[in-house]
Amino acid sequence: MGLPREETLTGSADELARFEELVRPLTATEWEAPTRCAGWTVGDLAAHVTGTIADIATGRLDELAAPDASARQVAERRGRSPREVADELQQATKVVRDLAAAFDDAAWSGPAPAGIPGTLGEGIEAVWYDAYVHAEDIRSALGRQPERGPGLRVSVSHLADLLARRGWGPAVLVLDGLDEVAVGGDGGRRITGDPLTFVLVATGRLAAAELGLDHTVNVYA
């Protein structure tokens, strides 16, 4: 599955730029605000997203694939200001954008490195998804309105892939304003509703009952 190559390359770069713009002006109080990700502050989420891009830019792919990658990324940036983290993200994004633009079609559809599941293209799609979802976590923590844009579309696409790998379905996602997405083969239950609500449910941020589903829809359960 996955979105088209050019859409993914452009969308991921744009999403990271928006993330940088979101975190750069935050105050010290906002930086320390708790989020709906238990035990994580706004600054922790920014450090994780930045750390992921920095790992890719510097070729630390084995470390990126390690189970403790998120904790390491946060620890490496502890004590840095929002501006310092935003500066690192901006620089690392330029490197990753140039690297990704050099991939040919064979590399794009080939396996992701370091044992990361899926294709290389799906791995880049996952970066876009991660930045969008954590930006929404930060907006929620700061009492801001959610943003519905291309990141919402890629998040549904990515979560459909994750659910299919887990053997969930068959089902068809028929979410407001998006194309239908089949999960786990043709047919099955048609799931309707708000796409952002689906993203929050499928990532364990909202109860599955919000969409009339059970806990198996949570890709992190």
Side-chain angles (χ1 to χ4, degrees):
M1 209 179 288
L3 299 181
R5 176 180 171 184
E6 288 306 315
E7 180 180 356
T8 303
L9 288 174
T10 300
S12 58
D14 290 347
E15 193 69 56
L16 290 168
R18 284 192 293 271
F19 192 94
E20 176 209 329
E21 292 169 359
L22 173 65
V23 303
R24 183 177 292 280
L26 296 181
T27 66
T29 299
E30 290 172 328
W31 198 241
E32 296 301 324
T35 71
R36 57 192 173 194
C37 301
W40 289 61
T41 65
V42 165
D44 292 338
L45 294 180
H48 160 59
V49 170
T50 299
T52 295
I53 306 308
D55 284 348
I56 296 170
T58 56
R60 299 173 68 179
L61 301 180
D62 287 332
E63 292 175 75
L64 177 60
D68 65 346
S70 297
R72 171 186 55 79
Q73 291 159 351
V74 172
E76 288 174 346
R77 290 158 184 82
R78 186 156 288 122
R80 295 187 191 177
S81 70
R83 180 174 294 275
E84 288 171 327
V85 172
D87 284 345
E88 183 187 13
L89 178 59
Q90 182 183 58
Q91 293 163 10
T93 298
K94 291 178 181 177
V95 174
V96 172
R97 185 173 59 235
D98 290 343
L99 288 172
F103 297 140
D104 59 19
D105 290 339
W108 185 261
S109 59
I116 296 171
T119 65
L120 179 61
E122 288 168 345
I124 295 175
E125 186 176 285
V127 168
W128 183 3
Y129 151 82
D130 197 53
Y132 172 78
V133 171
H134 286 317
E136 285 304 302
D137 291 332
I138 290 173
R139 293 185 187 100
S140 175
L142 301 179
R144 302 182 187 180
Q145 290 298 310
E147 291 192 0
R148 298 168 180 274
L152 189 54
R153 169 171 147 81
V154 78
S155 295
V156 170
S157 172
H158 182 67
L159 288 166
D161 285 343
L162 294 181
L163 286 167
R165 287 180 201 153
R166 291 165 60 94
W168 190 83
V172 182
L173 305 180
V174 191
L175 304 173
D176 300 342
L178 299 182
D179 294 337
E180 294 186 7
V181 180
V183 183
D186 296 329
R189 179 177 178 181
R190 294 175 66 83
I191 297 169
T192 61
D194 172 52
L196 181 55
T197 299
F198 172 79
V199 169
L200 297 178
V201 164
T203 59
R205 288 163 167 82
L206 273 181
E210 291 285 338
L211 288 177
L213 301 172
D214 62 31
H215 70 281
T216 61
V217 73
N218 180 358
V219 297
Y220 301 122

